[in-house]
Amino acid sequence: MASAASSLRTPLIEGAKTPAQVTRDICAVLDRKPTWVWWTGFLCACAALVVGAAAVTYQIAVGIGTWGLNNTVGWAFDITNFVFWIGIGHAGTLISAILFLLRQPWRTSVNRSAEAMTIFAVICAGLFPVIHMGRPWLAYWMIPYPNTRGSLWINFRSPLIWDFFAILTYFTISLLFWYLGMVPDLATIRDRTPPGLRRRFLGILSLGWDGSARTWLHYETVYKMLAGLATPLVVSVHTIVSWDFATSVIPGWHTTILPPYFVAGAIFSGMAMVLTLTIVARKAMGLEQYITRQHIDKMCKVALATGCMLGLAYVTEFFTALYSGNQYEQFVFLNRALGPLSWSYWIMVVCNVGISQLLWFRKVRTNPAAVFVIAILINVGMWFERFVIIVTSLHRDYLPSNWASYVPTSIEVATLVGSFGLFFTCFFLFCRFVPVIAISEVKGVLSVGRKRTVFPLTIAETPAESAQAVLEEKGVPV
Amino acid sequence: MAGRDSNRYWKNLEERNAGEESSARVENEFPDSLEFGAEPIARREFLKAAGFAFAGAVLTGCQRAPVEKAIPYLVKPEEIIPGRPYFYASTCGGCSAGCGLLVKNRDGRPIKLEGNPEHPLSRGGLCAVGQASILGLYDSRRILHPLREGKEATWEQVDREITDKLEQIRREGGAVRVLSDSISSPTLLAALEAFLERFPNARHIVYDPLSGSAILDAYEQTHGVRLLPRFRFDRAEVVVSLDADFLGTWISPVEYTAGSRAARSLEGNPPRFSYHAQFESRLSLTGSKADQRIRIAPQQLGLVATHLARELASKAGVPIENEGIQEPPVPARVLQEIAQRLWEARGRSLVVCGSQDIATQVLCNFLNHLLDSYGSTIDLEFPSNQRRGKDRELQSLLKELQERKIAALFIAGVNPVYDLPEGGQLASLLRQVSLVVSLDGKRNETTELAPYVCPNPHSLESWGDQEPVNGIVSLMQPCIQPLGNTRALLESLAAWMGTPKPAYDILRENWQARIFPRQTREISFQAFWDHAVHDGFVELDKTPPVAVRTFAMGSVHPILSAKILAEDEFALVLYPKVGILDGRHADNPWLQELPDPITKVTWDNYACLSPAAATALGVGDGDVVRLVPGNDPTGLELPVVVQPGQHDQVVAVALGYGSKATERFAGMGPQWWERKPTVGETGRVGVSAAPLLRFADGALQYGQAPVKLQPAGKHLALAATQTHHRIEVPHHLATPGTERRPVIQETSLQAYLEDVSSGKQWEEMEHEDLWPPDHLYTGRRWAMVIDLNACTGCSACVIACQAENNVPVVGKDEVRRRRAMHWLRLDRYYAGDGADVEVAHQPMLCQHCENAPCETVCPVLATVHSAEGLSQQIYNRCVGTRYCANNCPYKVRRFNWFDYPHEDRLENMALNPDVTVRSRGVMEKCSFCVQRIQEAKIEAKRNGAPLRDGDAQTACQQSCPARAIVFGDMNDPNSLVSQLLRSPRRYHVLEELNVRPSIAYLRLVRHRVEETEEEHHG
Amino acid sequence: MSSRVVTVVLGVGLAYTVVFFGRSVSPRFPGNQQSYEPVQPIAYSHRLHAQELQIGCLYCHFGAEKSRHAGIPPASVCMNCHRFVIASLGAIRAEHELAQRASRQPQTVVSPELRKLYEAMGLNSKLQPDPSQPMNPLAWVQVHKLPDFVYFDHRAHGNAGVECQRCHGPVETMERVRQVEDLSMGWCVNCHRQVNQTGIAGKPVEASLDCDTCHH
């Protein structure tokens, strides 16, 4: 791994950690009993999940009619949530794959949780295409399999089919990538756990990792390769999702700008979600020294960049519509901004393009509280972006006689809540049972071996002590 | 379920249900080999056993589908071959217009009503009400047994008691009255006559809930005979209608629509394109098709007629006194110009008047007299019998009732307790009559009260005849074994006269005696009869013409003034809706869910207000207002519908709602926790406006009474199928110049005559495709042409489609959520500002695009293109992603949001066995009636003949009274459809998308007023 | 009783199941009714009528050429012959011999299966219509079933010259009718594809491959 131990910049990991400490600090979370914070969070998440499960069960039992859709607006919350969650996933892959290939050492502290987030997000996303079907029990018809219908295949021209495969691939790769990255850490935990069932189990999971140079070599190679495989997915998946709309004939959907627009949006929202999660996690789990303001700052920069791209996309859309001279296109965009659903449009613009501009200021970027709020708002904005694209385009399309409005039902809202419930339930469990920070990778970016660290590695045991050591070294009387 | 039914033959309901119980034989498919000794079973053994049992279960479980029984006839009726449709010619019993029917029968039951193309009046058309009337046959709630004091009784018992009482009444010389709507059946009239003349004091009193009494009275004054003439719109080149909705609801809409269609076509050179001006207070269907529409308050009608009379009289040099006539309510120039047109088209022009004011009707006759319409566009020699009501007699009857002079009252085909303003007190009056017999087959307010109910069978169950127009007698024949223990009115009368006879014999005898002699074509009666039964009607060439007196000028009196309403007063207009009419079919779910052609609202009646009036009152769509008639404080509370094109001092309310029959809809629609009921707080659909009717100057008045309006501060969500009404998009949402959408293309006659392609909004260009064509269409290619000119928006096609394709009824809440299921909808667009609007109706159905956007996006190939150009929707393959619907530019796809109920076994008999009943979660849409195409193709093959143009007709095309829809093979250059496709008026909706629809529309052409001005000035 | 015995018993039981429902072991999807052979209310033999007596299919199933459904013949059609043929020749001979031995009048023999028919028709022992007796229609068990959303049309196939056996198998050899083909969509479609190449009995045909030919 590339060492970031340059004497010029401040170390990524504060408090002059020793590898041993790193292990101890990060595993501490797993060792100690769950805190009340965790419990409350977890139970809330579960509650939300239960609500969602109930809603979905009811909807499948009674019919899609329990959603607020109609003959004009055939998709709304369902596909909005789908696109939203897929988008969330992207940051994870970006951080873990692209930043890895770009040798960005700061990724090491966040990539684990980001990847976890990706997987959970994709799980949430994958739910919606299934439950939004009129006959979900026939979802397997999406799979091309030989049948007695002589043989009747699927429609390979349909973007939904591309979607289906794209997401499947995405999920598989992400899962592998995540798991592979975890193997060394699992081994670490294995070694720390007393013999018993748990150790046995961890032994299996860590694939008999022995930490030999050879193993490391193989590991690095595979990891690089997977990173290489995952990288195009960051772009491809959301591009394909955007084709669901871009290949249609509906004004507001049928635009070539959608793929880049969607990808940028995805990373934007993803980063926001990573920020939301990590800011909470570092506080709750006392990992401030691992996920430092530096990390937050860097992620904010990525968010800012993508946010600006998004802003550009919004403007471009309007321009192309007006420039096209196509009355339907022009109408759709004016209708978004000034029509009956304009409030959703303005929420989107303000949250995504407006609020995110605050990230230009270092003060804001380095203030976790502020960033947290901004990140939340960005997530809201990004959800509404998808809502705007889907609903406002559909509800007033070509024939004025078709124009209809859309109002969500309680079932739909409950389903959305439920998807968050699912996501956070998974994430809380993840925090409990898996090291939230890639121990092995963080060790790689420690400032170990730098001259300035004079004190013997053995002195400092706890973060407090090491901090004290630093102070002493600076000659501050204690 | 339709599928299974059509696989299983049955002779009557019992048999049909008998097949239902599914087998016991699946159960004993399990081996009984899991026997153990007496000693208890050890855990492992048990588990093992369980395991094996499970294995066995897996092997056998998914073994057989449940057993289905097939029950053939024991002795098959000669003509019936199970699964083969038969058509019987008959006559529609939906209203008194008497249109010709072809009843499609399958396996011994009618499943669809179609217009009889040979019928001289309806000419193949059939209106929405007619189409829907088949549901009445399978109405499980109708009265299927004689009732005595509301309890089921036997005919013997009921007959005995009635005859005894009648005998007593006869001895005492008590008054016997028969109250009915217009009966045009010669046989029934003869029977009634025979029945009544046995009593010293007996009368047959006729009234129509939608009365035309004033017209008949007017003719009595002007021509000495009380008759309703036959209006020949097909001969008229200039039609001026004074508030007569002749295309929608007035007397015989199908006949009139066919007529005006014939007189208003652009074929031929110069085209014979009649001019139509409409004076009306609300926006009616007819008004929506008028070339010139003049908004007037109802009370101004007479004044307008007077001024027209003055204009024409001066042209004709006939003096009429005209002192102190108020100024016309409309610009004199308009009246002069219309008078001019009428005068120029003397003998080819027609003035009709829907008013219930006799003086106005007399003036209308005078106008026609001045225009020599009599003998040309108005036929007095062979008048119509479609309205015979005499409101005066009705009034006298009510008087007699109040004076308790009536001994026996027979009520047939009407529901006076509901229809009449005095309904409430009538109820108590009826209780005092010693013998009240209702002969209605439907449960309604009157049958509730009548001690005796002798239910009449449905018109598809019994023999009968009608003579809608003198000389044209059309026959009714039973198409199904009567579903209950009902008895035709004819038979009841015969029974009470002591000569019980089956209706068939009575009919035949009467025909032999009275009808047969009125013709010369056939020599033998049998041949004549067979001919009649086959055709469904006969034209009697030896019918004596009615002798009328020459026009009596003396009866004409100009109307000097129109009542001026106070600022806050509104003139009330009570009107019938196309689907509901007077409410006799209010129990029909199809008609309740049929959107009103103008307002597009379903499942409710409401108070229509002009935009100006609405803003003045500060109310909008759905806000409830209270109508307070001047005299009594109690009023009606109705939601407002803002109706452009309506007169500002008019409030229009539909009749026929809020009847007891609609209580059945309480449970209508899918049941889930956010649902709202289809019925209102009253438990009924809408509110009855009958209390606002009133008798005045000898006729039932549907308007004029001044009412005040008070906002009630409530809101009631109306269920409309269209909520944006204008062809323009909101101006602040459109870049300048793109407000109007090129969906409706229209032009003026003038412009059309100069340039046939005028009004074209999109230049058709031949696109160069990168790819070779997907579809070669080597054989046929089905296409449809819809003439926007001919289409009146009457909505017959909507119901025809619903009946043919098993389209479910979803209920008010679902419609409100914009989930109506109609495969074919009628888009209605307003153009122009709120006050005076131009209206365009556009039937919108699946366009069967060549480059169908829906087909590419379906992930499972549930919608694909057929070799003959149909965009097919395969229900059983659909998984319901709704992507196709989203991607349809026309939004004509319909999704099954719920499992729509089909529990009513009797009602299910109306289902078309050739069309799958769709389950929940699948998409559906217009299929171009592919089942009819298949039938036609297979039959052609069977007969070894090629498929001729017109063999395959879609349901909508078949029922259209205006022949606006033409369907056929566009690969056949001679087919009518390809001829029309070559018309210069042809255009495709959303041509610019290059989806290449198979449905083309013919541009709308109107006489335009401004250009006529030019005509005059230069 | 030792667990091994139980194992054996259960093994046999399972084997019995497998054999008894032998056909269901061959890989088959749920709903596939191939080789369904239900017991019918009357043991009517197609072998006897169609093969030995050479009665054409359309004599009884007359619907096939005129209607969507071939139909199960009304009992009256059976009566055309069985008004006279009321028992097998063998049975009648036997009765006659018995009668001769017992030197008595031979009494009329009615085949027990035909008796069911006569009862259904409400005929008395003299085979005369008897108003007192109820007419109760025969409920045959449907063998060849298609899902509700499939509209097969006998007319089209019959008139195109497809012989009945093509879909129904050698019915004339069956005592009790059995479903021979699996009647799956693939089976239909492949036949349509094939005949478009080969034609039927040398006669070229165009068998539609459009979905809405069968699904509407």
Side-chain angles (χ1 to χ4, degrees), chain A residues 67 158 244 330 398 402 410, chain B residues 674 735 819 825 857 883:
Chain A
W67 288 356
S158 167
D244 283 350
Q330 294 172 345
Y398 291 101
N402 295 327
S410 49
Chain B
E674 273 188 28
T735 45
R819 294 173 183 171
R825 65 169 198 264
V857 297
Y883 198 174

Side-chain angles (χ1 to χ4, degrees), chain A residues 58-72 74-75 78 132-135 137-138 141-142 149 152-155 157-161 243-245 247-250 253 322 327-328 330-331 334-335 338-339 394 396-404 409-411, chain B residues 671-674 721-724 726-727 729-730 732-735 738 740-743 774 817-820 825 827 829 844 853 855-861 875-883 886-891 893-895 897-898 919-922 989-990 992-993:
Chain A
Y58 183 74
Q59 171 247 316
I60 290 178
V62 178
I64 294 284
T66 55
W67 288 356
L69 306 170
N70 55 44
N71 288 332
T72 305
W75 288 345
D78 45 5
H132 99 294
M133 288 184 180
R135 305 200 287 175
W137 48 91
L138 296 177
W141 281 1
M142 292 280 211
R149 305 190 190 91
L152 182 57
W153 296 110
I154 53 174
N155 182 4
R157 292 187 304 173
S158 167
L160 279 188
I161 290 294
W243 285 344
D244 283 350
F245 309 104
T247 59
S248 77
V249 298
I250 300 302
W253 285 10
L322 296 177
Q327 73 182 98
Y328 305 107
Q330 294 172 345
F331 171 79
L334 287 169
N335 183 49
L338 308 171
L394 281 176
R396 287 182 160 187
D397 66 347
Y398 291 101
L399 303 189
S401 62
N402 295 327
W403 292 4
T409 64
S410 49
I411 302 290
Chain B
Q671 307 293 319
W672 65 291
W673 78 328
E674 273 188 28
T721 56
Q722 183 177 347
T723 45
H724 183 87
R726 302 164 60 78
I727 189 67
V729 306
H732 67 289
L733 296 183
T735 45
T738 65
R740 189 192 168 98
R741 298 227 156 155
V743 173
D774 274 0
R817 294 171 184 272
R818 302 297 297 273
R819 294 173 183 171
R825 65 169 198 264
D827 291 347
Y829 293 109
M844 186 46 70
E855 289 170 10
T856 55
V857 297
C858 174
V860 292
L861 291 170
Y875 315 120
N876 44 301
R877 177 65 174 172
C878 179
V879 296
T881 65
R882 301 185 299 288
Y883 198 174
N886 289 340
N887 206 24
C888 172
Y890 307 91
K891 292 282 180 284
R893 294 180 148 260
R894 297 288 175 257
F895 187 69
W897 299 99
F898 292 98
S919 76
R920 182 243 290 188
V922 305
V989 175
L990 301 181
E992 53 271 50
L993 298 182

